Structures are given as C-alpha cells and as structure tokens.
C-alpha cells in the first residue's frame, strides 16, 4: 500500500512541475492506433533516434509529436552517419506532412472508400466461475459490405483543435474517434472519444491497448474505445534536485464512463501512466494503471475515492472497484549502430498486490529496428503469458462483482489473449516511404487457458496472423490492404479490408 500511496502522490506532483523548454504550443491532434505512424515511431525509438521519452508506449501519438520525432530522428541519424535511417525518418515526415500539417479550421481531410468483410468476430463473455454464471464468447454476425469513411482535423484557434474519424464500416455507422483538444500551459487536454494504448508490446498490453496489428477499419465491433476526458504533460520534464537522475519523464491520465460491465450500468473507468528514463536514455521504466469503479446505484464517497487512488479495496466484497496494474522496463543495449535492438518487459497484476508474484501477466520481446544487411526490414519476436488463478488471487480480467470484467460490453480493454494462456508472436516490417510502400506481416500461436475471457468456446491452441500494406498509387491517393485471421480447433475469425485513400492537399 505504501508504494501505491507514493506513486499517487508522485503523479500529483508531476502535474505541478513545469516541462522542459518547448516550442510554440499548438493543440494536440491525436493519431489513432493502426495508423502507420505508430510503427514508424516505434522503429525510430528502437533505433535510438527518437527524442527522450518519444516512444508511443510512453506518450500519446499526436500529429505534432510524430513530426517532432521524425525531424529529431532525421537530425540524429545525420549526426551519427546512419544514412538509411535518416532517409527513412525524412520519408515518414514527408508522408505525414502530406496528410495534413497546415493551419485553419480544416487542416486535413482524407476519404477512404472500399470493401470490408468480417466472419467469426467475438466479444468476451461475462460471469465468474465460482458463482456458475460464466458465459462464453459472444460471436457476432458476419458482414461483407462496401465501406466509406472520412478522417479530418482542424484548428478552431491555435490552442484549440478538433479531429474526427467516422463512416460506414463493416456494416455499421461508426464514429471511430471524435475529439476536441486544447493546449493549456504545459498540459494537453482533451474530451471525446478515442482509443487509448499504453502497451509497448505488439500483441497488446496488460492494462489498456489491444494489438497494434489490428485491422483498424474492421475491428471496431470488438475493440474498446474510450469516452471521457484526459490530460498529459506535453513535453518530457525533469524532477528538480537530487531526483533529476530519474531522467526525462512523462505522465498521462484519463477518466470516463462506460456503457455496461456485466450487471453494472454506467461505471466509471480511469487510466494513467507514468514513464521515465533514469540514468540513461537507453533505459525506460514506467507504470500503467487502470480502474473500473462505481456505477449506477453505487455511491462514490470521498473515502472510497481516496482508497481507490492509493490502492485500497473499496466496498464489501470489492463492490466498488476493479483494478489492473503493470510495470514496464525497456532497454537498448549498446551493441553498435549496426544492431539497433531493444528488449522490453511489461509485468502486470490484477487487483491484488500478491498477484504480481503469484499470478503475473508478462509481455516480453526483442525488437530489431533494422536488419544488418537489409536495413529496410525490421523484426520483432514476443511472448505473452497470463497465469492461472491461485493462492487467493482472482482470475485475470474477471471480477466477482463487475462480472463483465476488463471489458465494455464485451469489448476487451487489453490483450486479445483474454487473460489466461500464452502467445508467441513474430513481426516483420518493410518500409520504403520514398517509394510509397509500407508492408507489415505478423504471425502468432496462441494457447488460451480455461480461464480466458472467451472460454470455454475458444479454449486451446489457435494460429493466426495479420497483414497490412500501403502503396502510393498517384499523387495523394494510396491503396491500403488489411487482413487478419485466427483459426482454432472448431472456429475461426477472419477480417479483411481494402481501401483507396485520398488525401486532399490543403497546404497553401
């Protein structure tokens, strides 16, 4: 409990500290997971070319943040005599500027039109084993339909912006994101609807953030989208005095409401992360935390809220909150400029302090930003494991009171493995932005245990993967192909989308 109390006080203190010197302020415009910038930032961060705390695992991705990372990486690569990675960063920057880096009420506008198909999609079930109301996977009807969507953003004032992504996708009228955001001193503030992603792993995170390899235009039926308000410190900052050894730090918090968790309507949900680079920029340490609490008919008292903040259980039988917590470590060993490698681990616990030792969730991987001799290619390998409940600890992502557990109406907050079992994942990426080509393929093997959120229907071994490709066709028009599949013993989940994307050049 003392550690949780210390962390909570630390977050409050960070919000009161001034940031490091920054350039002109502009309201943040968020880039949703699934956009190519996410993997681009990750690749440059692993290569050691991004600015301090520049990785999206540490800070939200905005247009301004991404452009800053690409420009910084371009300069760093030039000074380190790494021409390919410098050209890669320059190509990324040019592509993003084409997508919209202007001022004005409409600063960017992109139209997508094509086809989507989905079969075998499923949401997680409700219930808890001990009370015998366990429900299996909620399989959704298949869809094969034409699709059209639009994405844009603009600036009402330099410090106040809007952004939206909406359309007709996989048979549904969908608002993927809709945000009004503002720059206020050292903080970026926002209200609206967007996906949160606190995961460093490619397969997903333990607190919030599904797989980065999800097909973004067809995953909305099973992917959680946060609705609420949030704030983050725009630029990395340093602690004063003897705490300066903690290095460049970042903090983010978000609070909102959900539709339903099991039998509880309208509960609150909160997420937060605190990241830093102590001793050296090669090392990153951090914490992620999430909590579901309250709901219709469940009073939120000052005492209960204070207990939630410092990590105490509230209510009889936990009938006030459900929490998930993780720590993160990432390290880039000094192997020379020809081997840009990073090792990372996220270690999570569900609800109870002893879980971090007895029943952990572990996401661990190796990321290689450029293969020696084949610098256009990046590789990664990752293993995820969720332990079976034991020793008085609850089932991962299941809660005796919030029966829908770590999901909003079955849409999982975090890793698609579902809270019990193992996954091996391999990732290959090839980027040639100067030629207008970006290609990614992932493959995985999962072995879900009997306590996973899709049990009993989808217990056991499954194989799957995903592919995404973008190709410049002409001018501001690109073609995008997305596909994802997973096949178990008696079930499969297949998703596909093909789009033409046209970006209207609004630069003056």
């Amino acid at each position: 409990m003392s550690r949780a109390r210390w962390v909570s006080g630390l977050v409050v203190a960070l919000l009161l500290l001034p940031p490091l010197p920054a350039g002109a302020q502009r309201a943040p415009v968020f880039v949703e997971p699934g956009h190519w910038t996410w993997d681009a930032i990750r690749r440059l961060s692993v290569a050691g070319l991004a600015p301090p705390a520049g990785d999206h695992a540490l800070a939200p991705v905005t247009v301004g943040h991404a452009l800053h990372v690409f420009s910084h990486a371009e300069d760093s690569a030039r000074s380190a005599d790494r021409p390919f990675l410098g050209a890669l960063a320059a190509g990324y920057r040019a592509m993003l500027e084409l997508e919209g880096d202007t001022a004005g009420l409409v600063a960017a506008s992109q139209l997508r039109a094509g086809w989507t198909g989905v079969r075998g999609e499923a949401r997680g079930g409700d219930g808890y084993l001990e009370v015998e109301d366990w429900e299996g996977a909620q399989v959704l009807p298949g869809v094969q339909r034409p699709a059209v969507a639009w994405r844009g953003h603009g600036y009402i004032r330099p410090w106040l912006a809007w952004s939206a992504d909406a359309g007709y996708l996989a048979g549904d009228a969908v608002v993927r994101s809709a945000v009004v955001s503002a720059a206020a001193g050292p903080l970026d503030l926002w209200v609206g609807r967007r996906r949160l992603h606190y995961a460093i792993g490619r397969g997903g995170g333990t607190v919030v953030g599904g797989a980065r390899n999800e097909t973004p235009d067809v995953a909305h039926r099973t992917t959680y989208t946060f609705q609420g308000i949030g704030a983050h410190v725009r630029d990395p900052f340093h602690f004063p005095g003897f705490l300066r050894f903690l290095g460049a730090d970042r903090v983010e918090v978000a609070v909102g409401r959900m539709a339903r968790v099991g039998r509880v309507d309208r509960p609150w949900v909160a997420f937060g992360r605190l990241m830093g680079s102590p001793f050296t920029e090669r090392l990153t340490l951090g914490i992620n935390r999430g909590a579901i609490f309250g709901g219709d008919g469940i009073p939120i008292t000052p005492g209960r809220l204070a207990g939630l903040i410092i990590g105490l259980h509230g209510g009889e039988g936990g009938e006030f909150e459900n929490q998930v917590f993780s720590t993160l470590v990432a390290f880039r060993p000094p192997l020379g400029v020809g081997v840009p490698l990073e090792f990372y681990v996220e270690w999570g616990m569900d609800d109870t302090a002893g879980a971090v030792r007895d029943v952990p969730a572990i996401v661990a991987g190796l990321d290689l930003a450029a293969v020696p001799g084949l610098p256009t290619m990046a590789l990664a390998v990752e293993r995820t494991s969720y332990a079976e409940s034991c020793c008085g600890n609850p089932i991962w992502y299941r809660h005796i009171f919030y029966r829908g557990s770590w999901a909003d109406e079955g849409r999982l907050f975090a890793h698609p493995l579902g809270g019990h079992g193992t996954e091996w994942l391999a990732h290959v990426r090839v980027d040639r932005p100067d030629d207008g080509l970006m290609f990614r393929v992932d493959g995985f093997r999962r072995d879900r245990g009997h306590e996973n959120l899709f049990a009993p229907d989808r217990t056991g071994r499954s194989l799957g993967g995903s592919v995404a490709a973008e190709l410049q066709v002409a001018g501001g028009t690109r073609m995008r192909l997305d596909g994802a599949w997973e096949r178990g013993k008696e079930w499969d989940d297949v998703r596909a989308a093909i789009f033409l994307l046209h970006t209207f050049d609004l630069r003056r």
Side-chain angles (χ1 to χ4, degrees):
M1 296 306 173
S2 59
R3 179 176 61 180
R5 190 178 294 113
W6 179 84
V7 167
S8 302
L10 194 57
V11 169
V12 173
L14 289 179
L15 291 174
L16 301 177
L17 289 173
L20 294 177
Q25 295 181 14
R26 178 182 270 192
V29 173
F30 295 95
V31 182
E32 293 291 295
H35 192 271
W36 61 265
T37 51
W38 283 69
D39 275 332
I41 289 174
R42 176 74 183 143
R43 186 171 186 181
L44 295 174
S45 297
V46 172
L49 301 177
D55 194 342
H56 61 74
L58 318 177
V61 176
T62 66
V63 172
H65 174 67
L67 288 171
H68 175 56
V69 169
F70 299 153
S71 296
H72 186 282
E74 188 178 357
D75 293 339
S76 298
R78 187 183 301 114
S79 62
D81 193 22
R82 304 169 75 179
F84 169 75
L85 290 172
L88 189 65
Y92 289 149
R93 177 176 50 79
M95 285 185 62
L96 189 56
E97 287 175 344
L98 180 64
E99 290 194 13
D101 181 37
T102 64
L105 188 60
V106 181
S109 181
Q110 184 185 80
L111 182 67
R112 310 191 297 279
W115 174 90
T116 55
V118 184
R119 184 188 71 214
E121 262 191 322
R123 296 179 184 173
D126 293 348
Y128 201 88
L129 275 176
E130 294 179 1
V131 291
E132 298 180 352
D133 63 348
W134 190 287
E135 297 179 6
Q138 307 171 39
V139 181
L140 303 177
V143 177
Q144 296 186 44
R145 297 283 176 84
V148 61
W150 172 85
R151 177 169 60 228
H153 71 260
Y155 297 92
I156 304 167
R157 294 286 188 273
W159 55 271
L160 185 66
W162 66 270
S163 60
D165 188 337
Y168 182 76
L169 298 168
D172 297 322
V174 177
V175 179
R176 285 183 51 194
S177 66
V179 175
V180 175
S181 53
L187 298 179
D188 282 340
L189 311 175
W190 61 270
V191 59
R193 175 182 176 88
R194 55 177 286 250
R195 286 179 60 193
L196 299 180
H197 192 93
Y198 291 2
I200 195 170
R202 297 185 178 277
T206 60
V207 174
V208 62
R212 288 213 311 274
N213 56 10
E214 286 176 322
T215 49
D217 282 315
V218 295
H220 62 272
R221 299 198 298 177
T222 55
T223 299
Y224 172 65
T225 302
F226 181 90
Q227 299 183 79
I229 61 175
H232 64 271
V233 178
R234 181 181 308 105
D235 299 293
F237 57 87
H238 287 291
F239 283 97
F242 73 95
L243 291 177
R244 194 172 179 83
F245 79 92
L246 292 174
D249 301 281
R250 284 188 179 272
V251 65
E252 179 179 11
V253 293
V255 180
R257 299 200 81 167
M258 302 159 53
R260 184 178 178 84
V261 175
R263 63 188 182 187
V264 181
D265 292 322
R266 301 280 293 160
W268 292 88
V269 61
F271 297 104
R273 61 178 165 184
L274 170 63
M275 301 289 170
S277 299
F279 311 114
T280 170
E281 291 181 7
R282 291 183 175 275
L283 174 67
T284 297
L285 302 178
I287 59 172
N288 300 312
R289 187 178 176 194
I292 301 171
F293 60 100
D296 288 353
I298 304 173
I300 299 178
T301 65
R304 283 182 165 187
L305 195 57
L308 171 71
I309 292 172
I310 65 175
L312 294 173
H313 295 294
E316 294 295 328
E319 295 182 3
F320 175 70
E321 47 76 25
N322 181 25
Q323 302 187 48
V324 174
F325 176 92
S326 73
T327 60
L328 182 146
V329 178
F331 181 66
R332 292 183 286 108
L335 300 177
V337 296
V339 190
L341 185 72
E342 182 176 79
F343 168 74
Y344 59 88
V345 177
E346 183 182 359
W347 194 294
M349 69 177 187
D350 187 329
D351 211 36
T352 309
V356 73
R357 178 190 66 250
D358 298 327
V359 288
I362 304 171
V363 180
L366 287 170
D367 217 330
L368 181 62
V371 177
L374 293 171
T376 59
M377 181 179 293
L379 301 176
V381 61
E382 178 177 293
R383 185 180 189 273
T384 300
S385 65
Y386 283 80
E388 182 178 358
S389 61
C390 80
C391 320
N393 295 289
I395 300 171
W396 259 98
Y397 295 147
R398 298 275 186 175
H399 194 270
I400 196 69
F401 181 72
Y402 292 96
R403 299 292 176 80
S405 288
W406 212 238
D408 185 357
E409 294 189 317
R411 298 179 181 89
L412 274 61
F413 287 175
H415 202 288
L417 189 60
H420 185 201
T422 58
E423 174 188 274
W424 281 98
L425 182 145
H427 165 87
V428 179
R429 183 174 183 89
V430 176
D431 287 336
R432 300 182 63 92
D434 289 343
D435 299 328
L437 172 66
M438 290 185 288
F439 175 79
R440 184 214 73 221
V441 61
D442 296 270
F444 61 80
R445 189 192 76 177
R446 292 174 179 157
D447 194 348
R448 291 188 175 94
H450 67 280
E451 291 180 347
N452 86 88
L453 290 174
F454 301 100
D457 310 69
R458 300 193 173 188
T459 298
R461 180 164 298 179
S462 64
L463 298 175
S466 66
V467 61
E470 285 197 28
L471 177 65
Q472 189 85 15
V473 177
T477 304
R478 301 205 303 271
M479 177 179 289
R480 179 177 175 92
L481 171 67
D482 279 299
W485 62 97
E486 183 179 3
R487 180 177 295 275
K489 185 176 181 180
E490 297 180 350
W491 59 273
D492 61 8
D493 182 342
V494 181
R495 314 177 194 198
I498 184 168
F499 283 91
L500 284 177
L501 302 82
H502 183 75
T503 300
F504 298 90
D505 193 345
L506 302 177
R507 294 174 292 179
R508 298 290 184 265

